[in-house]
Amino acid sequence: MSEEQLAPEIVEDLKQRALSQPLVEHIYTADPSAHVFDGKIYIYPSHDIEAGIPFNDNGDHFGMTDYHVISLDSPQSPAVDNGVALDIKDVPWASRQMWAPDAAHKNGQYYLYFPAKRDNGLFQIGVAISHSPKGPFKAEPEAIPGSYSIDPAVFEDDDGQYYMYYGGIWGGQLQHYRNNQYSVEYDEPTDNSPALCPIVARLDSDMTSFAETPRHLQILDEDGEPLLAQDHDRRFFEASWMHKHNGKYYFSYSTGNTHYICYSIGDNPYGPFTYAGRILNPVIGWTTHHSICEYHGQWYLFYHDSVLSKGITHLRSIKMAPLTHNDDGSIETITPYRS
Ligand code: FUB
């Protein structure tokens, strides 16, 4: 393994200063997508493992093979691991790398959305269905038609429509798509061009297909101009999430190589969204990925870091912390370790 571990004394110091502790420590978990279903908190994370694949910039060492659902009766309750909810061997179209999932509930059915690579090395997004939020989930035989890239996040609007936000650059392959078509010739835009943005599509009433052609969502700066590809502190990288607060739509995401969770605000599920600031400062570990949900009037941020594994990027642990919306609609920035 080419990743270096943090020294024991640094790990001990980080544990003491950590804003919150891992929700579970018996397995590594990451990319927590949290929802309140039936009055409980259900978290749909990636299940990190040491797959024995050498570290590379494509993220092949993130070689996950199944999902576990973590539940909490309330924010103060112990987190419960509900066992294997879906295994890659039961997904006919997928061959490897089960990355960040999300879930949705409609009419008594629960839908687990997840990215994985096919045999040809391309990511697609699949769906699996259960009568219980804990699973087990049964995978549809094929991936969602027209889906690509990674990190699906499904948002239910107040009018009962569901929208999927997805995409991630570099290992997530979004840079190889234009107008929903793949070409290895397509790449990241040049520095002064608008940055690549995430994709949004409304889900069909069956929850297993898109109701419309997926489109890019725009993230604009304070002057109404698209964020540029060179603006690594603010441009979209991966880890889409949507929540609604006081009638406004908050699209949040990871900036990847600069390690921030940022947010932008819009007036409808498609945007455009205007960049509004940082939600989470960098954590220990390369990746940062989050979700936001409300429980009994208090908002929470769910996130991960690599302190438990002593800094190993692909062995992460999910955490949660209270999140505050200020009166002006801004979100207070969270720093994950006390100084
Ligand atoms: O967990 C694998 C990948 O790492 C996720 O899909 C990304 O968002 C990053 O957290």
Side-chain angles (χ1 to χ4, degrees), residues 11-315:
V11 173
E12 201 39 52
D13 176 55
L14 284 166
K15 279 184 179 163
Q16 298 301 327
R17 290 193 294 113
L19 183 68
S20 60
Q21 299 305 311
L23 288 170
V24 291
E25 299 199 4
H26 64 294
I27 55 173
Y28 289 111
T29 50
D31 311 323
S33 291
H35 294 272
V36 176
F37 294 140
D38 302 330
K40 296 185 183 180
I41 298 171
Y42 288 91
I43 307 173
Y44 300 85
S46 301
H47 174 199
D48 283 359
I49 54 169
E50 180 48 81
I53 298 165
F55 177 95
N56 66 26
D57 284 343
N58 265 341
D60 290 340
H61 49 301
F62 292 90
M64 299 86 107
T65 61
D66 66 15
Y67 295 111
H68 290 222
V69 179
I70 307 296
S71 57
L72 290 86
D73 286 349
S74 75
Q76 292 74 35
S77 306
V80 175
D81 175 359
N82 295 284
V84 176
L86 180 68
D87 192 296
I88 198 157
K89 68 177 170 27
D90 299 318
V91 184
W93 60 270
S95 91
R96 59 190 184 278
Q97 287 173 272
M98 294 183 111
W99 284 14
D102 191 19
H105 172 228
K106 183 180 176 185
N107 296 340
Q109 301 258 69
Y110 295 85
Y111 298 85
L112 179 71
Y113 298 94
F114 58 96
K117 275 187 184 165
R118 307 185 75 98
D119 276 339
N120 66 3
L122 292 186
F123 274 111
Q124 275 204 279
I125 295 168
V127 55
I129 304 171
S130 175
H131 292 297
S132 165
K134 301 174 186 171
F137 291 86
K138 182 165 172 39
E140 293 286 283
E142 252 306 335
I144 295 176
S147 68
Y148 55 91
S149 197
I150 60 167
D151 291 2
V154 174
F155 166 71
E156 179 187 358
D157 206 349
D158 298 332
D159 62 1
Q161 299 291 341
Y162 292 77
Y163 300 85
M164 181 184 287
Y165 300 85
Y166 63 91
I169 61 174
W170 298 14
Q173 304 175 342
L174 184 63
Q175 68 276 16
H176 296 311
Y177 289 84
R178 296 290 186 279
N179 298 319
N180 302 314
Q181 298 299 316
Y182 174 85
S183 169
V184 75
E185 304 296 326
Y186 298 140
D187 214 331
E188 275 189 272
T190 51
D191 278 359
N192 286 316
S193 306
L196 280 176
C197 279
I199 311 290
V200 56
R202 188 166 58 82
L203 289 176
D204 202 89
S205 55
D206 63 11
M207 299 293 277
T208 61
S209 59
F210 295 144
E212 58 188 8
T213 304
R215 61 179 103 164
H216 279 285
L217 169 159
Q218 273 196 312
I219 307 176
L220 309 176
D221 67 14
E222 57 282 4
D223 298 321
E225 297 296 328
L227 293 181
L228 299 181
Q230 67 189 3
D231 190 351
H232 291 209
D233 280 353
R234 300 195 295 176
R235 64 95 171 85
F236 172 81
F237 187 97
E238 62 186 4
S240 293
W241 191 257
M242 177 67 80
H243 76 279
K244 200 172 177 181
H245 176 69
N246 279 351
K248 292 285 187 188
Y249 293 78
Y250 286 70
F251 178 78
S252 49
Y253 56 95
S254 165
T255 61
N257 55 317
T258 49
H259 317 291
Y260 298 112
I261 297 293
C262 292
Y263 70 106
S264 55
I265 301 178
D267 292 322
N268 69 73
Y270 296 108
F273 292 84
T274 302
Y275 179 87
R278 291 178 187 161
I279 295 176
L280 182 67
N281 280 326
V283 295
I284 297 298
W286 199 94
T287 69
T288 184
H289 189 131
H290 71 300
S291 66
I292 293 167
C293 90
E294 186 183 18
Y295 183 90
H296 290 198
Q298 171 65 54
W299 290 87
Y300 293 91
L301 175 75
F302 295 79
Y303 64 106
H304 68 227
D305 75 12
S306 295
V307 172
L308 188 65
S309 70
K310 305 183 173 58
I312 303 289
T313 282
H314 60 285
L315 297 177

